[in-house]
Amino acid sequence: MQPLLDLLGDPALRPTLLATAVLGALSGGVGAFAVVRRQSLQGDVVSHAALPGVACAFWLGGRSEVVLILGAAVSGWLALALVGGLVRRNLAPFDAALAAMLATFFGLGIVLMGGLQRAYPGTNAVRLQQYLFGAEAATVRMADLAPLVLLGGPALLVLVAFWKEFKLLSFDPDFAASLGFPVRRLDLLLTAVVVVAVVLGLQTVGVVLMSALIVAPAAAARQWTDRLGPLVLLAMTLGAASGVAGTLLSHTLSERGRAVPTGPTIVLTITAVALASLAFAPRRGLLAAAVRRHLLRRRFLLKAGAP
Amino acid sequence: MSFAEREAMLLVLVTALACAVPGVLLVLRRLALIGDAIGHVLLFGVVGMYYLTGDLDSPWLVVGAVLSGVLTVALVELLERTQLVRGDAAIGLVFPALFSVGTLVASMHFRDTHLDVDQVLLGHVEYASSAPMAQLFGVPIGRRPTVALAALGLLNVGLAVVFFKELKLTTFDAALAATLGFLPALVHYGLMTVVSLTAVAAFDSVGPVLVVAFLVLPALTARLLSDRLHVVFLLSLAAAAVGAVLGVRAAFYFHTNTAGMVAVTLGVLYGVTLLVAPKRGLIAAEWQRFRRRRTFAETVLTIHLAEHEDTPAEPDESAFSGLHRHLDWQPAAVTGVVRRAERHGLVTRTGDALRLTPEGRRHAREAFGHLPG
């Protein structure tokens, strides 16, 4: 126990631990809504579609973390809004629309990045690369936590403030519309919250792995409860715990002379939690179902008088 | 057009054509995001096979990559079948996990083998002209990646032609296909193998993310233009070709990443088609709505006139100058509607009084069956 406590208190590791914990909680919370609405892969699309926004923000002179993140958020949100438009007008199936916007925006981002690297040779273009692939999480500094708090805090507040509306929107959007709620605007707002969570995570865990942070905590939590409130809280807890556990794990393993990247370790941790939940959750879990089936069969056989 | 551009264009063209065929089926079968997932996990297969063989040029790397694509599909379906997570969440669980394993193994075991992330994720069409030549019976026939993708494209087209009936049936009515004795699962895994193979081949030239653009965008574009499967296939090939040629031209003109530019061009092509497609396009839809609104206004006018025909209120209700009050329309709109109704022979106007023609009376009765008279 003591080595673990030492690690937790390690001032070099503290910013990383804080960042992954906050990020895990944030993405777990918004992920719960995404999974319930069958839009789990929103995160994947946003993280790819953020690239042209980052490039544009950089081009327009944005150098600070927050400006680049806002650029990422705007283009990620735009991609999802376009997906919504395509689906609403019945011009493309939902999944194909997501894939189409993901690929087009990402292509545009790469084109713009190519231009940037020529326009500003050797400058901070490397830092832009971080948005693609995630930094070594071990290099997170206390200052990097500012955007997490500045943007993640309000995102969570929106989630709380519009709790009732988002709940209704997630489970019965038609009913919400019939009650007079501005469904489309609420949808765009909830999308914006997802987008903020995703772009905040990009620089810590990278594009591909961010999708896991949205989906896995929620998929895990979903096995333990049927109520939205506990679902969101549990997903946030699991997300934060996996973030911390994954960081510690990668740090511990790294000490033996090999660098173990933090992002993938976090993803595998949270995936393991999700698989364990699928297997062992008390009512829905696979084990519980097998036991139930077994008991049922025995009772049936007893009644039927078989040996 | 420079030598390098010509070689790049050839490579992108065959890549786009090879992707265009399975892409149609991915879109129609709602598997577009599986295509995305497969693109991402190829790394897992490559790393895994490299771990086993220790040889970066081993053909097993390709086999591993294809297998990892099929593995992804199988795992996603396994998760879905538990009914504990839905399809989208299953995809979101599987591919980041496999990708993470690939990244972890790569970074822990082959740190000396420099895996260039840029190259792996963005592809390198630009170097098409420096690829070795492939030879057939000692005769050079083209750059090796280009020839490989061309062969794959021919294979894809051939499979689509030979199994057209099976593909059509299992895509649109899997249950019927199963009862008729076709094997939807076999077709499904066959298709997934083809997609993985195509993605692997395209991986080198355009990278795993932009493969998605090549798979999905031409198919979506074609889908806007036709509802017939074989036409959609042909249009998808055409869209892929146009996008590839224009995209490579633009990339070399602007000196930027070729694969990215082609993806953007394919996206723009889709966007333009969205606007101008003759039946399903946005402009066509808007025009239809405009037309319907105009005809509807004329119909309302005839119904209004018919309702008050031969009643004491008729002089007031059927007066041109009072219509905007009775129908709650803008006065300017009334003028237009009446003029069009006159032109279509539905009403006649004498001074301020409007009267239905026999044609107009029939029109009103048809639209509003239970009118008296």
Side-chain angles (χ1 to χ4, degrees), chain B residues 169-170 173-185:
Chain B
L169 192 57
T170 52
D173 197 339
L176 178 65
T179 47
L180 290 178
F182 294 95
L183 295 168

Side-chain angles (χ1 to χ4, degrees), chain A residues 64-74 131 147 151 196 199-200 203:
Chain A
S64 77
E65 213 88 322
V66 174
V67 173
L68 293 181
I69 288 177
L70 278 179
V74 169
Y131 283 84
L151 296 169
V196 167
V199 295
L200 283 176
Q203 42 172 349

Side-chain angles (χ1 to χ4, degrees), chain A residues 138-253:
Chain A
T139 60
V140 176
R141 292 159 299 140
M142 268 304 179
D144 297 331
L145 291 173
L148 274 179
V149 178
L150 281 179
L151 296 169
L156 274 184
L157 279 183
V158 169
L159 218 52
V160 174
F162 289 89
W163 178 261
K164 181 185 62 189
E165 285 82 357
F166 286 161
K167 187 175 184 177
L168 197 54
L169 179 72
S170 301
F171 290 102
D172 201 339
D174 295 334
F175 183 51
S178 75
L179 288 181
F181 286 103
V183 171
R184 227 149 90 189
R185 257 174 291 160
L186 283 173
D187 186 34
L188 290 177
L189 184 64
L190 184 52
T191 304
V193 176
V194 174
V195 167
V196 167
V198 171
V199 295
L200 283 176
L202 282 185
Q203 42 172 349
T204 316
V205 294
V207 167
V208 180
L209 309 178
M210 194 54 216
S211 334
L213 276 190
I214 294 283
V215 181
R222 179 68 189 83
Q223 310 310 320
W224 301 87
T225 175
D226 290 332
R227 300 183 52 82
L228 188 65
L231 175 69
V232 170
L233 287 179
L234 189 57
M236 289 176 74
T237 315
L238 290 178
S242 310
V244 171
T247 309
L248 290 178
L249 198 62
S250 82
H251 188 74
T252 319
L253 293 176

Side-chain angles (χ1 to χ4, degrees), chain A residues 72-90:
Chain A
V74 169
S75 74
W77 180 84
L78 190 65
L80 285 187
L82 284 175
V83 168
L86 284 178
V87 173
R88 204 174 43 249
R89 285 170 174 271
N90 208 11

Side-chain angles (χ1 to χ4, degrees), chain B residues 83-143:
Chain B
Q83 300 192 341
L84 296 177
V85 286
R86 297 207 191 90
D88 59 328
I91 297 177
L93 277 175
V94 170
F95 87 84
L98 291 183
F99 187 86
S100 297
V101 173
T103 328
L104 269 184
V105 173
S107 67
M108 287 166 72
H109 289 281
F110 337 116
R111 266 197 307 166
D112 40 337
T113 328
H114 184 58
L115 262 179
D116 190 337
V117 190
D118 255 29
Q119 298 295 301
V120 169
L121 276 161
L122 306 184
H124 33 83
V125 188
E126 286 78 3
Y127 307 133
S129 53
S130 57
M133 296 298 277
Q135 302 199 331
L136 192 66
F137 306 120
V139 185
I141 47 171
R143 304 283 161 196

Side-chain angles (χ1 to χ4, degrees), chain B:
Chain B
M1 200 188 293
S2 69
F3 172 66
E5 181 177 350
R6 200 175 58 233
E7 294 288 336
M9 188 174 286
L10 256 181
L11 178 57
V12 171
L13 189 63
V14 290
T15 309
L17 291 176
C19 292
V21 173
V24 168
L25 295 164
L26 285 185
V27 167
L28 289 176
R29 290 165 164 251
R30 306 280 189 275
L31 294 171
L33 288 168
I34 288 267
D36 177 40
I38 288 179
H40 283 105
V41 298
L42 297 182
L43 178 70
F44 168 79
V46 171
V47 168
M49 279 299 166
Y50 178 58
Y51 185 70
L52 292 179
T53 61
D55 175 10
L56 254 186
D57 293 318
S58 161
W60 287 104
L61 260 49
V62 176
V63 177
V66 174
L67 285 181
S68 66
V70 179
L71 176 72
T72 308
V73 177
L75 286 177
V76 167
E77 276 172 16
L78 194 69
L79 277 180
E80 268 190 277
R81 207 163 303 153
T82 64
Q83 300 192 341
L84 296 177
V85 286
R86 297 207 191 90
D88 59 328
I91 297 177
L93 277 175
V94 170
F95 87 84
L98 291 183
F99 187 86
S100 297
V101 173
T103 328
L104 269 184
V105 173
S107 67
M108 287 166 72
H109 289 281
F110 337 116
R111 266 197 307 166
D112 40 337
T113 328
H114 184 58
L115 262 179
D116 190 337
V117 190
D118 255 29
Q119 298 295 301
V120 169
L121 276 161
L122 306 184
H124 33 83
V125 188
E126 286 78 3
Y127 307 133
S129 53
S130 57
M133 296 298 277
Q135 302 199 331
L136 192 66
F137 306 120
V139 185
I141 47 171
R143 304 283 161 196
R144 213 181 273 165
T146 313
V147 171
L149 275 158
L152 197 63
L154 284 179
L155 175 76
N156 287 351
V157 172
L159 285 172
V161 170
V162 172
F163 294 112
F164 186 75
K165 183 182 59 187
E166 284 79 3
L167 288 169
K168 192 173 182 178
L169 192 57
T170 52
T171 299
F172 292 109
D173 197 339
L176 178 65
T179 47
L180 290 178
F182 294 95
L183 295 168
L186 188 67
V187 175
H188 179 62
Y189 275 92
L191 173 64
M192 284 305 151
T193 313
V194 167
V195 170
S196 299
L197 201 59
T198 311
V200 172
F203 190 98
D204 244 8
S205 49
V206 297
V209 183
L210 298 176
V211 164
V212 179
F214 286 66
L215 285 169
V216 173
L217 287 168
L220 277 177
T221 309
R223 189 63 194 81
L224 287 173
L225 296 170
S226 172
D227 290 332
R228 301 192 57 82
L229 186 57
H230 62 276
V231 182
V232 172
F233 272 128
L234 291 175
L235 286 172
S236 174
L237 284 168
V242 172
V245 171
L246 291 182
V248 174
R249 277 268 54 192
F252 275 78
Y253 184 79
F254 293 114
H255 301 285
T256 183
N257 179 287
T258 310
M261 199 65 193
V262 176
V264 173
T265 313
L266 287 170
V268 170
L269 201 59
Y270 175 53
V272 171
T273 315
L274 272 178
L275 286 179
V276 303
K279 258 189 298 184
R280 306 182 60 191
L282 292 177
I283 293 177
E286 216 41 55
W287 174 243
Q288 288 275 328
R289 195 149 70 181
F290 177 68
R291 286 278 302 273
R292 262 204 301 277
R293 194 180 295 163
R294 273 168 56 155
T295 356
F296 182 69
E298 285 172 49
T299 307
V300 168
L301 175 66
T302 58
I303 291 173
H304 175 77
L305 293 179
E307 209 165 316
H308 298 287
E309 213 168 30
D310 307 325
T311 63
E314 184 179 7
D316 174 44
E317 292 282 350
S318 303
F320 176 78
S321 51
L323 270 183
H324 67 276
R325 249 185 314 113
H326 295 299
L327 291 170
D328 200 13
W329 287 350
Q330 296 291 328
V334 172
T335 320
V337 174
V338 170
R339 187 155 18 90
R340 276 189 300 277
E342 275 185 281
R343 187 152 22 105
H344 294 147
L346 298 174
V347 300
T348 53
R349 180 175 169 189
T350 29
D352 199 32
L354 294 172
R355 249 196 105 66
L356 284 170
T357 62
E359 172 63 30
R361 218 162 283 131
R362 201 173 322 121
H363 185 84
R365 203 170 302 134
E366 252 169 46
F368 203 70
H370 57 79
L371 271 181

